[in-house]
Amino acid sequence: MSAAAATTSSPDLSGRDLTLDLARIACVVLVIVIHLLQVGIGRAPDGSLVTSRPAEAQPWFDAATWAGQVMPLFFVVGGFASAAGWESWRGRGGDATGFVRTRTLRLAQPAWPLFVFFAVVLGAAVLVGAPSDVVSAAAVGAGSPLWFLAAYMLCQALVPPLFTLHTRAPRATVIALFAGVVLVDVVRFSTGIAEVGLLNLLFVWPLAQQLGFWYRDGWFARRSPLTLVVIAVACYAMLWPLTAWGPYSTSMLDNLNPPTLPLVLLGLAQACILCLLRPALERLMRVRWVRGFSFVLGTRLMTVYLWHLPVILVISGITLLVPGAAPEPASPAWWWTRPLMFVVVLGGVLALSLLVARWEALGVLGPAPSRAVVAVAWLCAFVPPFVVMQWFLSPASALLGAVLLGIAVLLLRHRLFARQRVAQSVGSQA
């Protein structure tokens, strides 16, 4: 039995840059802030219910997304961590099948209770006859962050081959991925078939991940500060003609699904900015309370990301029951209550994490199943968030997700599917 056949939830800190942990946490916190500004639920002066998306109605919103769209950076940081994890895994005798199995579990396990929750709540809402438009609006809002699972799961499955290509031909690999991004966008916008853009799931996010490989190799660190500033400024400068004269939206939120070329430019610029900020982040991580906060939030980050919008919706619903606690969206009172709302939501998510964050911990795993079983399990885990990304969350897609993710976790964890390999291992030792 290989050394990597049995794994635990203990993190491997070899080659780990703690400033990237802080960057990843900052990305998730910023996502929470943005969603708080996008979810407007309150009472009009006459007491009627008002729902809106206040931030998107502001004239500054599109410009703000050029700084606030941090998901490319999340994939860059994820690429750094994935490269370190893959090298560590191989060093302990692990293979690609086992690596993909553990990475899929790290995403499927936290997502499974969320889909079960959605299936129960949305199913109950339908059974009690709740207004379909209200249920649909709540479901679409609560499920909007789930696209990340599909994109990240795909990137994780591609780590072994893409890292091999990176070690053999790093420049050619980046050029090929970039060419794929451009080609997909050209075909999409020239034909008007938006679904063609889905192919960029294979290019945009893996390319951002590839930048994380370069970051870990020290390519960015070897550049002078002036060079990093020039690259970042050039990336942002290229966004202007692409959005002003090209086919891309000025809102980086609109460029998210399907992913497009501007996100690649953002990812490169953000990697440069992160490298420039690294000395300051290192000093910040030496502060004890910052390091403690990072550890607490970092150990349950996926739970925080997946559950923050349901918590926002629940807390917003509760405020409707308290006189004066739910001001009209976009009113001055509504804007002034957002900082308090952030504290309440973050506290609520962390409290909830005491119940569900255990699903983030893999615990002890036996030998991985066969490659075919892992492939089937990966597909079962990938389909639910992909369906939500394309057709939004609904009672049917929530139920589908609960079933398929449950099957994925069962296939990847249950010893029944590893018995043959265990028997072979024991036989070879004998």
Short mmCIF file of all heavy atoms in Angstrom, two decimals, residues 333-386:
data_model
loop_
_atom_site.label_atom_id
_atom_site.label_comp_id
_atom_site.label_asym_id
_atom_site.label_seq_id
_atom_site.Cartn_x
_atom_site.Cartn_y
_atom_site.Cartn_z
N ALA A 333 -30.68 54.68 5.16
CA ALA A 333 -30.69 53.79 6.32
C ALA A 333 -30.22 52.39 5.94
O ALA A 333 -29.51 51.73 6.71
CB ALA A 333 -32.09 53.73 6.93
N TRP A 334 -30.60 51.94 4.76
CA TRP A 334 -30.18 50.61 4.32
C TRP A 334 -28.67 50.54 4.16
O TRP A 334 -28.02 49.59 4.61
CB TRP A 334 -30.87 50.28 2.99
CG TRP A 334 -30.61 48.86 2.52
CD1 TRP A 334 -31.31 47.74 2.85
CD2 TRP A 334 -29.57 48.44 1.63
NE1 TRP A 334 -30.77 46.64 2.22
CE2 TRP A 334 -29.70 47.04 1.46
CE3 TRP A 334 -28.54 49.10 0.96
CZ2 TRP A 334 -28.84 46.30 0.65
CZ3 TRP A 334 -27.68 48.37 0.15
CH2 TRP A 334 -27.84 46.98 0.01
N TRP A 335 -28.07 51.56 3.53
CA TRP A 335 -26.62 51.56 3.35
C TRP A 335 -25.89 51.62 4.69
O TRP A 335 -24.88 50.91 4.88
CB TRP A 335 -26.20 52.75 2.48
CG TRP A 335 -26.54 52.60 1.03
CD1 TRP A 335 -27.57 53.20 0.37
CD2 TRP A 335 -25.90 51.76 0.07
NE1 TRP A 335 -27.59 52.82 -0.95
CE2 TRP A 335 -26.59 51.93 -1.17
CE3 TRP A 335 -24.81 50.90 0.12
CZ2 TRP A 335 -26.20 51.26 -2.33
CZ3 TRP A 335 -24.43 50.23 -1.04
CH2 TRP A 335 -25.12 50.41 -2.24
N TRP A 336 -26.40 52.41 5.62
CA TRP A 336 -25.72 52.53 6.91
C TRP A 336 -25.80 51.26 7.75
O TRP A 336 -24.96 51.04 8.61
CB TRP A 336 -26.31 53.71 7.71
CG TRP A 336 -25.83 55.05 7.27
CD1 TRP A 336 -26.53 56.03 6.64
CD2 TRP A 336 -24.50 55.56 7.42
NE1 TRP A 336 -25.74 57.12 6.37
CE2 TRP A 336 -24.48 56.86 6.84
CE3 TRP A 336 -23.32 55.06 7.97
CZ2 TRP A 336 -23.33 57.64 6.81
CZ3 TRP A 336 -22.18 55.84 7.94
CH2 TRP A 336 -22.19 57.12 7.37
N THR A 337 -26.79 50.42 7.50
CA THR A 337 -26.92 49.18 8.27
C THR A 337 -26.11 48.03 7.68
O THR A 337 -26.04 46.95 8.29
CB THR A 337 -28.40 48.73 8.35
OG1 THR A 337 -28.93 48.60 7.01
CG2 THR A 337 -29.22 49.74 9.14
N ARG A 338 -25.47 48.23 6.53
CA ARG A 338 -24.72 47.13 5.92
C ARG A 338 -23.54 46.65 6.77
O ARG A 338 -23.30 45.44 6.86
CB ARG A 338 -24.22 47.52 4.52
CG ARG A 338 -25.32 47.72 3.45
CD ARG A 338 -26.31 46.58 3.39
NE ARG A 338 -27.44 46.79 4.30
CZ ARG A 338 -28.35 45.88 4.57
NH1 ARG A 338 -28.25 44.67 4.04
NH2 ARG A 338 -29.35 46.14 5.39
N PRO A 339 -22.76 47.55 7.41
CA PRO A 339 -21.67 47.04 8.26
C PRO A 339 -22.18 46.15 9.40
O PRO A 339 -21.59 45.10 9.70
CB PRO A 339 -21.00 48.31 8.80
CG PRO A 339 -21.30 49.35 7.77
CD PRO A 339 -22.68 49.02 7.28
N LEU A 340 -23.29 46.57 10.05
CA LEU A 340 -23.87 45.75 11.11
C LEU A 340 -24.37 44.43 10.54
O LEU A 340 -24.19 43.36 11.14
CB LEU A 340 -25.01 46.51 11.78
CG LEU A 340 -25.79 45.73 12.86
CD1 LEU A 340 -24.84 45.30 13.98
CD2 LEU A 340 -26.94 46.57 13.39
N MET A 341 -24.97 44.48 9.37
CA MET A 341 -25.47 43.27 8.73
C MET A 341 -24.32 42.31 8.42
O MET A 341 -24.44 41.09 8.57
CB MET A 341 -26.20 43.64 7.44
CG MET A 341 -26.95 42.50 6.80
SD MET A 341 -28.40 42.00 7.77
CE MET A 341 -29.24 40.98 6.55
N PHE A 342 -23.18 42.86 8.01
CA PHE A 342 -22.01 42.02 7.73
C PHE A 342 -21.56 41.27 8.97
O PHE A 342 -21.29 40.06 8.92
CB PHE A 342 -20.86 42.87 7.19
CG PHE A 342 -19.56 42.12 7.07
CD1 PHE A 342 -19.34 41.27 6.01
CD2 PHE A 342 -18.56 42.26 8.03
CE1 PHE A 342 -18.15 40.55 5.90
CE2 PHE A 342 -17.38 41.56 7.93
CZ PHE A 342 -17.16 40.71 6.86
N VAL A 343 -21.49 41.98 10.10
CA VAL A 343 -21.08 41.34 11.35
C VAL A 343 -22.05 40.24 11.74
O VAL A 343 -21.66 39.13 12.14
CB VAL A 343 -20.97 42.39 12.48
CG1 VAL A 343 -20.70 41.70 13.81
CG2 VAL A 343 -19.86 43.39 12.16
N VAL A 344 -23.34 40.52 11.61
CA VAL A 344 -24.37 39.53 11.97
C VAL A 344 -24.28 38.31 11.04
O VAL A 344 -24.35 37.15 11.50
CB VAL A 344 -25.77 40.15 11.91
CG1 VAL A 344 -26.84 39.08 12.11
CG2 VAL A 344 -25.91 41.25 12.96
N VAL A 345 -24.11 38.54 9.75
CA VAL A 345 -24.04 37.44 8.79
C VAL A 345 -22.80 36.60 9.03
O VAL A 345 -22.87 35.36 9.06
CB VAL A 345 -24.06 37.99 7.35
CG1 VAL A 345 -23.66 36.89 6.35
CG2 VAL A 345 -25.43 38.52 7.00
N LEU A 346 -21.66 37.24 9.22
CA LEU A 346 -20.43 36.49 9.45
C LEU A 346 -20.54 35.67 10.74
O LEU A 346 -20.13 34.50 10.78
CB LEU A 346 -19.23 37.43 9.52
CG LEU A 346 -17.85 36.75 9.61
CD1 LEU A 346 -17.62 35.85 8.40
CD2 LEU A 346 -16.75 37.80 9.71
N GLY A 347 -21.13 36.28 11.77
CA GLY A 347 -21.34 35.53 13.01
C GLY A 347 -22.28 34.36 12.81
O GLY A 347 -22.07 33.26 13.34
N GLY A 348 -23.32 34.58 12.02
CA GLY A 348 -24.27 33.50 11.74
C GLY A 348 -23.65 32.36 10.96
O GLY A 348 -23.90 31.18 11.26
N VAL A 349 -22.82 32.70 9.99
CA VAL A 349 -22.17 31.65 9.19
C VAL A 349 -21.18 30.87 10.05
O VAL A 349 -21.10 29.63 9.96
CB VAL A 349 -21.45 32.27 7.98
CG1 VAL A 349 -20.67 31.20 7.23
CG2 VAL A 349 -22.44 32.92 7.04
N LEU A 350 -20.42 31.57 10.89
CA LEU A 350 -19.46 30.88 11.76
C LEU A 350 -20.19 29.99 12.76
O LEU A 350 -19.73 28.88 13.07
CB LEU A 350 -18.57 31.89 12.48
CG LEU A 350 -17.57 32.62 11.58
CD1 LEU A 350 -16.80 33.66 12.39
CD2 LEU A 350 -16.61 31.64 10.93
N ALA A 351 -21.32 30.45 13.27
CA ALA A 351 -22.11 29.62 14.19
C ALA A 351 -22.63 28.38 13.45
O ALA A 351 -22.58 27.26 13.98
CB ALA A 351 -23.26 30.43 14.77
N LEU A 352 -23.11 28.58 12.25
CA LEU A 352 -23.59 27.45 11.45
C LEU A 352 -22.46 26.48 11.14
O LEU A 352 -22.67 25.26 11.09
CB LEU A 352 -24.20 27.97 10.15
CG LEU A 352 -24.72 26.92 9.17
CD1 LEU A 352 -25.90 26.15 9.77
CD2 LEU A 352 -25.13 27.56 7.85
N SER A 353 -21.26 27.02 10.97
CA SER A 353 -20.13 26.16 10.63
C SER A 353 -19.81 25.15 11.73
O SER A 353 -19.21 24.12 11.48
CB SER A 353 -18.89 27.01 10.34
OG SER A 353 -18.36 27.58 11.53
N LEU A 354 -20.22 25.47 12.98
CA LEU A 354 -20.00 24.50 14.06
C LEU A 354 -20.77 23.21 13.79
O LEU A 354 -20.39 22.14 14.28
CB LEU A 354 -20.44 25.11 15.39
CG LEU A 354 -19.68 26.36 15.85
CD1 LEU A 354 -20.28 26.90 17.14
CD2 LEU A 354 -18.20 26.05 16.03
N LEU A 355 -21.85 23.32 13.01
CA LEU A 355 -22.66 22.14 12.70
C LEU A 355 -22.23 21.47 11.40
O LEU A 355 -22.22 20.23 11.32
CB LEU A 355 -24.14 22.53 12.59
CG LEU A 355 -24.80 23.12 13.84
CD1 LEU A 355 -26.22 23.55 13.52
CD2 LEU A 355 -24.79 22.10 14.97
N VAL A 356 -21.87 22.26 10.40
CA VAL A 356 -21.64 21.68 9.07
C VAL A 356 -20.19 21.69 8.62
O VAL A 356 -19.86 21.01 7.63
CB VAL A 356 -22.51 22.39 8.01
CG1 VAL A 356 -23.98 22.22 8.32
CG2 VAL A 356 -22.15 23.87 7.90
N ALA A 357 -19.32 22.43 9.30
CA ALA A 357 -17.93 22.51 8.83
C ALA A 357 -17.20 21.18 8.94
O ALA A 357 -16.17 20.99 8.29
CB ALA A 357 -17.17 23.59 9.61
N ARG A 358 -17.71 20.27 9.76
CA ARG A 358 -17.04 18.97 9.86
C ARG A 358 -17.02 18.24 8.52
O ARG A 358 -16.20 17.35 8.30
CB ARG A 358 -17.73 18.10 10.91
CG ARG A 358 -19.15 17.70 10.56
CD ARG A 358 -19.82 16.97 11.71
NE ARG A 358 -21.15 16.49 11.39
CZ ARG A 358 -21.40 15.31 10.83
NH1 ARG A 358 -20.40 14.50 10.57
NH2 ARG A 358 -22.64 14.94 10.56
N TRP A 359 -17.93 18.66 7.61
CA TRP A 359 -17.94 18.04 6.29
C TRP A 359 -16.75 18.49 5.46
O TRP A 359 -16.46 17.88 4.42
CB TRP A 359 -19.24 18.37 5.56
CG TRP A 359 -20.41 17.63 6.14
CD1 TRP A 359 -21.23 18.06 7.13
CD2 TRP A 359 -20.86 16.33 5.78
NE1 TRP A 359 -22.18 17.10 7.41
CE2 TRP A 359 -21.98 16.03 6.59
CE3 TRP A 359 -20.44 15.38 4.84
CZ2 TRP A 359 -22.67 14.83 6.50
CZ3 TRP A 359 -21.13 14.19 4.75
CH2 TRP A 359 -22.22 13.92 5.56
N GLU A 360 -16.05 19.53 5.89
CA GLU A 360 -14.84 19.95 5.19
C GLU A 360 -13.66 19.04 5.51
O GLU A 360 -12.72 18.94 4.72
CB GLU A 360 -14.48 21.39 5.55
CG GLU A 360 -15.37 22.44 4.91
CD GLU A 360 -14.75 23.82 4.94
OE1 GLU A 360 -13.59 23.95 4.52
OE2 GLU A 360 -15.43 24.77 5.38
N ALA A 361 -13.69 18.40 6.68
CA ALA A 361 -12.59 17.54 7.09
C ALA A 361 -12.76 16.15 6.47
O ALA A 361 -13.81 15.52 6.61
CB ALA A 361 -12.55 17.43 8.62
N LEU A 362 -11.72 15.69 5.80
CA LEU A 362 -11.81 14.38 5.15
C LEU A 362 -11.72 13.23 6.13
O LEU A 362 -12.26 12.16 5.89
CB LEU A 362 -10.70 14.24 4.10
CG LEU A 362 -10.74 15.20 2.91
CD1 LEU A 362 -9.68 14.81 1.90
CD2 LEU A 362 -12.11 15.19 2.26
N GLY A 363 -11.02 13.45 7.25
CA GLY A 363 -10.80 12.34 8.16
C GLY A 363 -9.84 11.34 7.53
O GLY A 363 -9.06 11.66 6.63
N VAL A 364 -9.89 10.11 7.98
CA VAL A 364 -9.00 9.06 7.47
C VAL A 364 -9.64 8.40 6.25
O VAL A 364 -10.79 7.97 6.31
CB VAL A 364 -8.71 8.00 8.56
CG1 VAL A 364 -7.84 6.89 7.99
CG2 VAL A 364 -8.04 8.65 9.76
N LEU A 365 -8.90 8.34 5.17
CA LEU A 365 -9.37 7.71 3.94
C LEU A 365 -8.56 6.45 3.66
O LEU A 365 -7.34 6.43 3.86
CB LEU A 365 -9.23 8.66 2.75
CG LEU A 365 -10.02 9.96 2.79
CD1 LEU A 365 -9.68 10.81 1.57
CD2 LEU A 365 -11.52 9.69 2.85
N GLY A 366 -9.24 5.44 3.20
CA GLY A 366 -8.55 4.23 2.79
C GLY A 366 -8.01 4.39 1.38
O GLY A 366 -8.01 5.49 0.82
N PRO A 367 -7.56 3.30 0.79
CA PRO A 367 -7.06 3.36 -0.59
C PRO A 367 -8.12 3.88 -1.53
O PRO A 367 -9.31 3.64 -1.34
CB PRO A 367 -6.70 1.90 -0.91
CG PRO A 367 -6.49 1.27 0.43
CD PRO A 367 -7.44 1.94 1.36
N ALA A 368 -7.69 4.59 -2.56
CA ALA A 368 -8.63 5.17 -3.52
C ALA A 368 -9.29 4.08 -4.35
O ALA A 368 -8.70 3.03 -4.58
CB ALA A 368 -7.91 6.15 -4.44
N PRO A 369 -10.51 4.31 -4.80
CA PRO A 369 -11.14 3.38 -5.73
C PRO A 369 -10.41 3.36 -7.07
O PRO A 369 -9.43 4.09 -7.27
CB PRO A 369 -12.57 3.94 -5.87
CG PRO A 369 -12.74 4.90 -4.75
CD PRO A 369 -11.37 5.43 -4.46
N SER A 370 -10.91 2.58 -7.99
CA SER A 370 -10.31 2.53 -9.32
C SER A 370 -10.50 3.85 -10.04
O SER A 370 -11.33 4.69 -9.64
CB SER A 370 -10.94 1.40 -10.13
OG SER A 370 -12.30 1.70 -10.40
N ARG A 371 -9.75 4.04 -11.11
CA ARG A 371 -9.86 5.27 -11.89
C ARG A 371 -11.27 5.45 -12.42
O ARG A 371 -11.80 6.57 -12.45
CB ARG A 371 -8.87 5.24 -13.04
CG ARG A 371 -8.84 6.50 -13.88
CD ARG A 371 -7.81 6.41 -14.98
NE ARG A 371 -6.48 6.20 -14.45
CZ ARG A 371 -5.39 6.01 -15.21
NH1 ARG A 371 -5.52 6.00 -16.53
NH2 ARG A 371 -4.22 5.82 -14.65
N ALA A 372 -11.91 4.37 -12.84
CA ALA A 372 -13.27 4.46 -13.39
C ALA A 372 -14.26 4.92 -12.33
O ALA A 372 -15.13 5.76 -12.60
CB ALA A 372 -13.70 3.11 -13.97
N VAL A 373 -14.15 4.39 -11.11
CA VAL A 373 -15.06 4.79 -10.04
C VAL A 373 -14.85 6.26 -9.68
O VAL A 373 -15.80 7.01 -9.48
CB VAL A 373 -14.86 3.90 -8.80
CG1 VAL A 373 -15.64 4.43 -7.60
CG2 VAL A 373 -15.28 2.47 -9.10
N VAL A 374 -13.59 6.68 -9.61
CA VAL A 374 -13.30 8.08 -9.31
C VAL A 374 -13.86 8.99 -10.40
O VAL A 374 -14.41 10.07 -10.12
CB VAL A 374 -11.78 8.31 -9.14
CG1 VAL A 374 -11.45 9.79 -9.05
CG2 VAL A 374 -11.28 7.58 -7.89
N ALA A 375 -13.75 8.56 -11.66
CA ALA A 375 -14.28 9.35 -12.76
C ALA A 375 -15.79 9.50 -12.67
O ALA A 375 -16.34 10.59 -12.87
CB ALA A 375 -13.89 8.72 -14.10
N VAL A 376 -16.48 8.40 -12.35
CA VAL A 376 -17.94 8.45 -12.20
C VAL A 376 -18.31 9.35 -11.04
O VAL A 376 -19.24 10.17 -11.12
CB VAL A 376 -18.52 7.04 -12.01
CG1 VAL A 376 -19.99 7.10 -11.62
CG2 VAL A 376 -18.34 6.21 -13.27
N ALA A 377 -17.59 9.23 -9.91
CA ALA A 377 -17.87 10.06 -8.74
C ALA A 377 -17.62 11.53 -9.04
O ALA A 377 -18.40 12.40 -8.64
CB ALA A 377 -17.00 9.60 -7.57
N TRP A 378 -16.54 11.80 -9.76
CA TRP A 378 -16.25 13.20 -10.12
C TRP A 378 -17.38 13.77 -10.97
O TRP A 378 -17.81 14.90 -10.75
CB TRP A 378 -14.92 13.29 -10.89
CG TRP A 378 -14.57 14.69 -11.29
CD1 TRP A 378 -13.84 15.59 -10.57
CD2 TRP A 378 -14.97 15.36 -12.50
NE1 TRP A 378 -13.74 16.78 -11.26
CE2 TRP A 378 -14.42 16.67 -12.43
CE3 TRP A 378 -15.70 14.99 -13.61
CZ2 TRP A 378 -14.62 17.60 -13.45
CZ3 TRP A 378 -15.91 15.92 -14.63
CH2 TRP A 378 -15.37 17.21 -14.55
N LEU A 379 -17.87 12.99 -11.91
CA LEU A 379 -18.95 13.46 -12.77
C LEU A 379 -20.22 13.71 -11.95
O LEU A 379 -20.91 14.71 -12.17
CB LEU A 379 -19.23 12.42 -13.86
CG LEU A 379 -20.22 12.84 -14.96
CD1 LEU A 379 -19.70 14.05 -15.72
CD2 LEU A 379 -20.48 11.68 -15.91
N CYS A 380 -20.51 12.83 -11.00
CA CYS A 380 -21.68 13.02 -10.13
C CYS A 380 -21.55 14.30 -9.31
O CYS A 380 -22.54 14.97 -9.04
CB CYS A 380 -21.84 11.83 -9.19
SG CYS A 380 -22.43 10.32 -10.00
N ALA A 381 -20.33 14.63 -8.91
CA ALA A 381 -20.11 15.85 -8.12
C ALA A 381 -20.12 17.10 -8.99
O ALA A 381 -20.51 18.18 -8.54
CB ALA A 381 -18.79 15.74 -7.36
N PHE A 382 -19.69 16.96 -10.24
CA PHE A 382 -19.58 18.10 -11.14
C PHE A 382 -20.94 18.53 -11.70
O PHE A 382 -21.21 19.74 -11.84
CB PHE A 382 -18.64 17.75 -12.30
CG PHE A 382 -18.56 18.79 -13.38
CD1 PHE A 382 -17.78 19.93 -13.22
CD2 PHE A 382 -19.28 18.64 -14.56
CE1 PHE A 382 -17.70 20.89 -14.22
CE2 PHE A 382 -19.22 19.59 -15.57
CZ PHE A 382 -18.42 20.72 -15.40
N VAL A 383 -21.80 17.58 -12.00
CA VAL A 383 -23.07 17.88 -12.67
C VAL A 383 -23.96 18.85 -11.88
O VAL A 383 -24.47 19.82 -12.46
CB VAL A 383 -23.83 16.59 -13.00
CG1 VAL A 383 -25.28 16.88 -13.40
CG2 VAL A 383 -23.13 15.85 -14.14
N PRO A 384 -24.19 18.65 -10.56
CA PRO A 384 -25.11 19.56 -9.85
C PRO A 384 -24.73 21.04 -9.91
O PRO A 384 -25.58 21.86 -10.28
CB PRO A 384 -25.09 19.02 -8.41
CG PRO A 384 -24.76 17.58 -8.57
CD PRO A 384 -23.77 17.52 -9.69
N PRO A 385 -23.49 21.43 -9.58
CA PRO A 385 -23.19 22.86 -9.68
C PRO A 385 -23.19 23.36 -11.12
O PRO A 385 -23.52 24.52 -11.37
CB PRO A 385 -21.80 22.99 -9.04
CG PRO A 385 -21.20 21.62 -9.12
CD PRO A 385 -22.36 20.68 -8.98
N PHE A 386 -22.85 22.50 -12.07
CA PHE A 386 -22.91 22.91 -13.47
C PHE A 386 -24.35 23.19 -13.89
O PHE A 386 -24.62 24.18 -14.58
CB PHE A 386 -22.29 21.83 -14.36
CG PHE A 386 -22.31 22.19 -15.83
CD1 PHE A 386 -21.35 23.03 -16.36
CD2 PHE A 386 -23.31 21.71 -16.66
CE1 PHE A 386 -21.37 23.38 -17.71
CE2 PHE A 386 -23.34 22.04 -18.01
CZ PHE A 386 -22.37 22.88 -18.53
#
